[in-house]
Amino acid sequence: MADDPFVLGGTTFTSRLIMGTGGAPSLEVLERALVASGTELTTVAMRRVNPEVHGSVLSVLDRLGIRVLPNTAGCFTAGEAVLTARLAREALGTDLIKLEVIADERTLLPDPIELLEAAETLVDDGFTVLPYTNDDPVLARKLQDAGCAAIMPLGSPIGSGLGIRNPHNFQLIVEHAHVPVILDAGAGTASDAALAMELGCAGVMLASAVTRAQQPVLMAEAMRHAVEAGRLAHRAGRIPRRHFAEASSPTEGRAHLDPERPAF
Amino acid sequence: MSRTSETSDVGSDVTPDVLVIGGGIIGLVTAWRAAQRGLATAVLDPEPGGGAAQVAAGMLAAVTELHYGEETLLGLNLASARRYPEFAAELTELTGHGLGYRRCGTLAVALDADDRAHLRELHALQRESGLQSEWLSGRECRRLEPMLAPGVRGGLRVDGDHQIDPRRLAAALVTACERTGVVFHRVRAERLTVVRDRATGVVTADGTVLAAGQVVLAAGSLSGRLAGVPEAVLPPVRPVKGQVLRLTVPERYAPFLSRTVRAVVRGSHVYLVPRENGELVVGATSEELGWDTTVTAGGVYELLRDAHELVPGITELPLTETRAGRAPARPTTRRCSARPTSTACCWPPATTATGCC
């Protein structure tokens, strides 16, 4: 949508859908899904790819002209995350980093203390930091104050498909943010993505909802439409909620039928 | 060099003043020092510098390995630690070998409240014993070592506990022995020969009889089962199996860890010893399995599991070696923590010197 550009870390994007690559049945399916999603930015776990190896997911992104967003998936400490980010910058020549510091393998929930520390270090080091965070408005504010380029709260745990469990927190985060807020993790289907956008998110990041769907390419297309629809709805402004019905058809100037002859 | 071979040729036929059974670190040091002082010395070992020295991590940890009731051992260990820098420098100067001697200190950490209480107790004992150690909060520990897990609850910083690379130390000692004219008999000792309650030499596995003025028994855990040693003086040592892993810290991850890190994870001790050359030694299991030196899936799994809990980032490092060795243990202690320059439990007429690093 040319009249509604999405600016992230100084770069302008047309698509507001950021994709992940994990879980795809094959690179071939992933490639078609990425095309169908219309994404211009896709995240890749730096611990699982080597940029020097050809034929990997990085080659696919390169071929499609999709910008790579390296992430620090699999890190448990700020120290590891900072190290991984630096290696990613060296390998890919980008300051963008999707910062993930998880607390345990079972929930994959972010470790807020480690996350904030790593974010501070990386911002000081010149990175454009996009932190995967809990849906905690206080933590979100602190990450923003630390200089992060976006806030990426989870709707629900990674890969759970449980949608946005606390929409109210999302509203609070969006209200106080002056950087883009991007739903990260939890989207299960198109309505989840649309809801995020309606709540005022600037974008949606997802992987499993597409890559693990029965028809990844179809779901990718659905997500593209959902993000666009949700964004349009947000911009359009929803109507106030009412308790009682309000007729949508006007009664003024209604056709006057012959009272002698009922219509039925 | 020519002197060495001459001495060896001549030496084999001459009855040595001192015959050392066991060419591990203790045996080699003893032989080297004896030869330096002008004694004709021989070492009996099928593989000098092999054995436990090839497996051990090389922690010189008098303070962090302090235990209740081991004050005498502590005295020996501290005396040894004080002499180590000079010992290492002398050996390097003589042989040109680097020993990996590193005064990097040790950080012993606790991962939960129980471990923390245990460490606090150790800290109190250290202070009572007049030792230098500093209590750090979890955050302070992690500031020193950022790769430590967020769960670290506190720790003890002991700057005086150092490390050496036992492989390089053993190689240097073999060279030092050769340079000072020590004769090597690369064969196993079969039995000690005793005449009128006096050790007179050994019979080797190939049947050769070697006589000597003095016999030093320094065969590590094997010292406890050498035939011919009178029951009354047989050293009460047994082998304790320890599995040890070696990982490599690639240049781009360096330094990863700057000092030795150790902890008790659910009751088992785990340590990570970072060498200057990028090697990271992770150990050790402690198994009462006699002479077995098999590396098992379970042993490797437990070490990696515990090390991962302590330093999660190790999963990214190449695993370069898995090995098992036998540490000599005495009934009174968990393991012998004797040091080459400090331990020589002597009694006439034979001398034993058994320890491990």
Side-chain angles (χ1 to χ4, degrees), chain B residues 63 102-107 132-134 144 156-162 259:
Chain B
V63 178
R102 205 176 171 194
R103 308 173 82 162
C104 57
T106 294
L107 185 63
Q132 290 285 320
S133 88
E134 185 189 357
L144 276 186
L156 283 174
R157 177 182 178 167
V158 181
D159 288 340
D161 276 356
H162 306 154
R259 53 180 58 66

Side-chain angles (χ1 to χ4, degrees), chain B residues 275-329:
Chain B
R275 304 232 192 278
E276 258 156 2
N277 63 7
E279 186 177 78
L280 180 67
V281 187
V282 178
T285 62
S286 183
E287 303 164 67
E288 295 283 355
L289 287 172
W291 305 98
D292 175 46
T293 53
T294 319
V295 174
T296 63
V300 175
Y301 164 71
E302 282 168 29
L303 286 174
L304 287 177
R305 181 195 64 198
D306 295 348
H308 174 255
E309 194 154 324
L310 190 58
V311 181
I314 62 149
T315 48
E316 294 304 297
L317 306 180
L319 174 63
T320 39
E321 198 182 321
T322 58
R323 202 146 170 177
R326 294 180 296 241

Side-chain angles (χ1 to χ4, degrees), chain B residues 90-105:
Chain B
E90 183 187 348
L91 190 55
T92 296
E93 195 181 323
L94 174 69
T95 62
H97 287 261
L99 307 178
Y101 179 60
R102 205 176 171 194
R103 308 173 82 162
C104 57

